[in-house]
Amino acid sequence: MWYIISTAQLEQYLDENRWIYLVDMRDRSSYVQSHIRGAVNIPDEEFWGRVGELPTDRLIILYCYRGPRSMLAARQLARYGYQVADICGGIEAYRGKYLEGYGLRTGR
């Protein structure tokens, strides 16, 4: 099963310390520049080669710049039996307190 969550829902999950696995699918330099605290960086071009690293016992939340690549990945992961969510609007939409890095508010 997969679904789309809002940035407010993500913030609530993070505030509640829910057992999630947050994945930033952008390239490494974008991740270093800014990311959501706690996210693991698995770039889009490496994602399917590293899918074995994903846990099967918790909700996986994916994001990219604006959402289309992570949404496609979420759909496919759901077909493989993972519980997955995609952040609506990607990191471009997130402006919460868990944003980290020197490129804050840019997403890139």
Side-chain angles (χ1 to χ4, degrees):
M1 177 176 113
W2 79 277
Y3 50 97
I4 296 173
I5 62 170
S6 68
T7 57
Q9 287 172 298
L10 172 66
E11 188 104 346
Q12 183 177 3
Y13 289 175
L14 294 170
D15 285 346
E16 295 172 356
N17 291 318
R18 289 207 187 170
W19 207 35
I20 62 171
Y21 194 79
L22 185 59
V23 178
D24 183 322
M25 295 183 66
R26 299 172 304 141
D27 61 77
R28 291 187 202 293
S29 63
S30 296
Y31 173 82
V32 169
Q33 192 173 22
S34 66
H35 59 273
I36 300 170
R37 186 181 320 143
V40 174
N41 182 225
I42 305 178
D44 183 48
E45 61 274 2
E46 298 175 16
F47 190 78
W48 295 108
R50 295 177 58 188
V51 75
E53 297 175 26
L54 301 175
T56 57
D57 61 347
R58 59 182 130 164
L59 175 64
I60 298 168
I61 300 177
L62 305 176
Y63 71 90
C64 59
Y65 289 108
R66 293 187 181 98
R69 287 180 294 147
S70 56
M71 185 173 63
L72 291 173
R75 287 179 182 169
Q76 189 63 36
L77 282 177
R79 289 185 190 122
Y80 295 145
Y82 289 89
Q83 184 181 4
V84 189
D86 179 55
I87 300 172
C88 182
I91 197 166
E92 289 285 330
Y94 184 74
R95 297 295 177 253
K97 63 186 172 190
Y98 294 99
L99 192 61
E100 294 187 335
Y102 67 88
L104 298 178
R105 308 272 181 241
T106 66
R108 292 187 188 219

